[in-house]
Amino acid sequence: MGKEIRTAKRSVPEGHFIRCPQCKATVFKKDAESRFNVCPECSHHFYLPARDRIHQLLDADSFEEWFADLRPRDPLQFSDRVLYSERLQAEQKKTGMPDAAVVGRGYIRGRPVVLGITDFAFMAGSMGSVVGEKLTRATEEATRMLLPLILVSGSGGGARMQEGILSLMQMAKVSAALARFDQAGGLYVSVLTNPTMGGVAASFALQGDLTVAEPGALIGFAGKRTIKNTVRLELPEGFQTSEFLFQHGFIDRIIHRKDLRTEIARIIDNCER
Ligand SMILES: [Zn+2]
């Protein structure tokens, strides 16, 4: 459980409640938190920060973070509404993270794994050079140590346009590392959470040996409006959801957040050579 959530609980009374975007119920924040940050009324999966994800997935205190010293740069001195360098500082302050990815080693019910997570809170979880580099190094470490690799995606932004080509090349870089991991016989389980879009979906998130998703996650490449304007066709209802993609064979399983830890452990056992 994140520090900021606990702090929020102690503060103003409104902080005690959250409104579920799916069933519109007003739910006790504490009730949702005690259910893995899932709506107690309708099982809507709320956003989960990377730190809480680690806590939920891994055995207590088993996480050893890697490459925590990597920091983003601004080689293009990019500016949209604000300077990229200023945006980075604001995001770092807001999230307490240097960039959108956390990687490292830990244990899932006693099984050693390499874990990587992209966190939506930091610039929509978009993949810049730090995210790409961390995931690539994590994959290379998993290859070297021959450990299962678990990557949890929560990226609505895809590639981070503020880093231009340096961001786009991460897609190829991570993919190449994953291909070498695959050739070495490694097991890669990709866990898709809400949302997994753009260059993240177009690279590592959809290259798993097994691709599982949380219920109701938005998963796709381009947004609905963009596709509609391009192909000029009516698109099926909910075509970018976990459920639709599961029905059409694009993902292997939908797993409720409360079961992820057990099910990933089971997948590892079933795939052990
Ligand atoms: Zn709900």
Side-chain angles (χ1 to χ4, degrees):
M1 199 173 294
K3 210 182 260 169
E4 53 281 41
I5 290 175
R6 260 178 280 147
T7 317
K9 264 198 301 193
R10 263 187 256 112
S11 61
V12 284
E14 307 90 75
H16 288 289
F17 296 97
I18 40 174
R19 195 173 155 81
C20 173
Q22 186 166 282
C23 71
K24 314 291 178 203
T26 303
V27 297
F28 234 150
K29 204 169 174 180
K30 211 166 56 180
D31 280 351
E33 280 169 12
S34 66
R35 290 172 170 82
F36 297 85
N37 236 11
V38 169
C39 175
E41 303 291 330
C42 74
S43 277
H44 172 74
H45 284 46
F46 294 110
Y47 158 75
L48 191 70
R51 298 288 159 191
D52 294 357
R53 176 74 65 183
I54 291 165
H55 178 76
Q56 286 186 7
L57 275 184
L58 299 183
D59 301 348
D61 300 322
S62 74
F63 187 63
E64 170 199 322
E65 186 173 355
W66 291 339
F67 318 119
D69 56 336
L70 289 177
R71 293 289 180 279
R73 296 218 177 131
D74 181 20
L76 305 177
Q77 300 187 331
F78 194 89
S79 177
D80 45 284
R81 274 171 298 133
V82 293
L83 290 169
Y84 179 46
S85 55
E86 284 173 13
R87 190 185 292 272
L88 283 172
Q89 279 176 10
E91 294 287 311
Q92 287 165 345
K93 200 171 162 204
K94 182 184 82 181
T95 60
M97 299 170 70
D99 208 297
V102 182
V103 302
R105 184 172 66 162
Y107 289 82
I108 296 185
R109 301 211 181 284
R111 296 147 185 87
V113 298
V114 172
L115 175 68
I117 301 171
T118 62
D119 191 322
F120 185 75
F122 195 105
M123 289 191 75
S126 55
M127 180 160 62
S129 47
V130 169
V131 171
E133 183 65 17
K134 278 193 175 182
L135 296 177
T136 301
R137 289 192 196 180
T139 304
E140 286 170 349
E141 286 300 297
T143 311
R144 197 174 61 77
M145 299 166 131
L146 263 180
L147 290 179
L149 175 68
I150 318 293
L151 298 182
V152 183
S153 310
S155 294
R160 191 176 299 170
M161 60 134 183
Q162 288 87 346
E163 292 185 21
I165 189 68
L166 297 170
S167 155
L168 287 173
M169 65 170 277
Q170 305 305 321
M171 293 166 65
K173 190 171 82 179
V174 180
S175 300
L178 284 169
R180 290 190 294 271
F181 179 63
D182 182 60
Q183 280 155 16
L187 168 67
Y188 167 31
V189 181
S190 178
V191 182
L192 312 181
T193 73
N194 186 47
T196 299
M197 296 293 287
V200 167
S203 62
F204 68 89
L206 289 170
Q207 292 169 341
D209 295 306
L210 262 112
T211 307
V212 304
E214 288 190 338
L218 178 73
I219 300 159
F221 180 58
K224 187 177 178 178
R225 212 176 317 141
T226 309
I227 301 174
K228 203 174 167 183
N229 290 340
T230 308
V231 299
R232 301 194 179 282
L233 290 171
E234 258 333 292
L235 298 162
E237 186 63 28
F239 75 110
Q240 289 180 316
T241 58
S242 308
E243 290 71 16
F244 187 94
L245 295 174
F246 173 68
Q247 279 163 17
H248 292 79
F250 208 65
I251 56 180
D252 299 303
R253 282 188 66 186
I254 296 173
I255 303 178
H256 191 289
R257 194 176 281 164
K258 70 176 163 52
D259 301 322
L260 264 181
R261 188 181 196 165
T262 302
E263 290 307 315
I264 291 173
R266 200 171 280 170
I267 288 168
I268 292 169
D269 290 350
N270 288 337
C271 294
E272 229 164 21
R273 288 163 300 165

